[in-house]
Amino acid sequence: MERVGGGCSLASETMVETPEGPLRLRVATGKSIPVLTRDKEGRVLFRMMCDVRKIADRHPVLRIVLENGMGVDAAPEQLFYQPDGTLVSAAALQPGAELLPAFHYPRGYVYRTDAGEQVCSTGSLAVIRVEQNGESGLYSAAVRETGCVFLTAGVLCKAETA
């Protein structure tokens, strides 16, 4: 097993977005699969995820719960993108922190929800809480050209660059 930190350190049950829908990271071990990512110009597109491998059998993970009701389990060292493109570790996340989502209305855009509520977009997904969530096997992956991947929870996280 490899040392955790500095790259991609996601729990085995974490799901990534593929053209066929969500896929658990552990299922992709040893495969090359297209995943949703973002290039340096900010375009959302698909690139090949490869070199998916287990890097730890049991490692402490944090559960990051987002305002959309979804969550992701990751090692404290896992990096996530903020709306301005800077990286923040899972361990440094606090309630209210904003993370870069796959799709969103531009910041300041006012829209109505299905329930008729008027909302002003922040252009991000807010963290509701971060909590210890036991231990999990950890997986790492590389994404060609971009080195990042959108998780099914809706946020962009750092991967390795292939």
Side-chain angles (χ1 to χ4, degrees):
M1 297 289 161
E2 297 179 28
R3 190 173 81 79
V4 175
C8 184
S9 305
L10 297 165
S12 60
E13 299 302 304
T14 300
M15 291 192 281
V16 296
E17 284 299 309
T18 76
E20 288 78 35
L23 177 73
R24 293 190 195 292
L25 201 53
R26 66 176 167 75
V27 174
T29 302
K31 300 176 184 172
S32 289
I33 296 170
V35 293
L36 197 61
T37 185
R38 176 169 282 188
D39 67 14
K40 54 187 166 177
E41 285 79 36
R43 295 177 295 206
V44 175
L45 41 78
F46 288 99
R47 289 293 180 260
M48 295 303 287
M49 179 178 72
C50 56
D51 195 23
V52 180
R53 65 201 180 283
K54 191 173 197 177
I55 58 172
D57 286 321
R58 294 177 61 94
H59 191 277
V61 293
L62 297 174
R63 177 84 171 158
I64 302 155
V65 179
L66 304 167
E67 68 179 303
N68 63 4
M70 299 188 82
V72 60
D73 290 344
E77 303 85 1
Q78 176 63 51
L79 299 174
F80 291 88
Y81 285 86
Q82 296 175 306
D84 66 1
T86 59
L87 292 165
V88 60
S89 71
L93 289 172
Q94 298 290 320
E98 295 181 350
L99 297 178
L100 184 64
F103 302 103
H104 57 85
Y105 290 115
R107 183 178 294 275
Y109 180 82
V110 177
Y111 63 96
R112 290 197 181 277
T113 66
D114 291 342
E117 178 186 2
Q118 189 169 310
V119 178
C120 183
S121 174
T122 63
S124 65
L125 271 175
V127 172
I128 300 298
R129 68 181 177 279
V130 179
E131 57 198 16
Q132 296 291 329
N133 199 26
E135 294 182 333
S136 174
L138 291 183
Y139 284 75
S140 183
V143 178
R144 292 199 177 121
E145 299 175 30
T146 66
C148 57
V149 62
F150 279 107
L151 304 178
T152 298
V155 294
L156 187 65
C157 77
K158 183 78 175 116
E160 296 174 21
T161 304

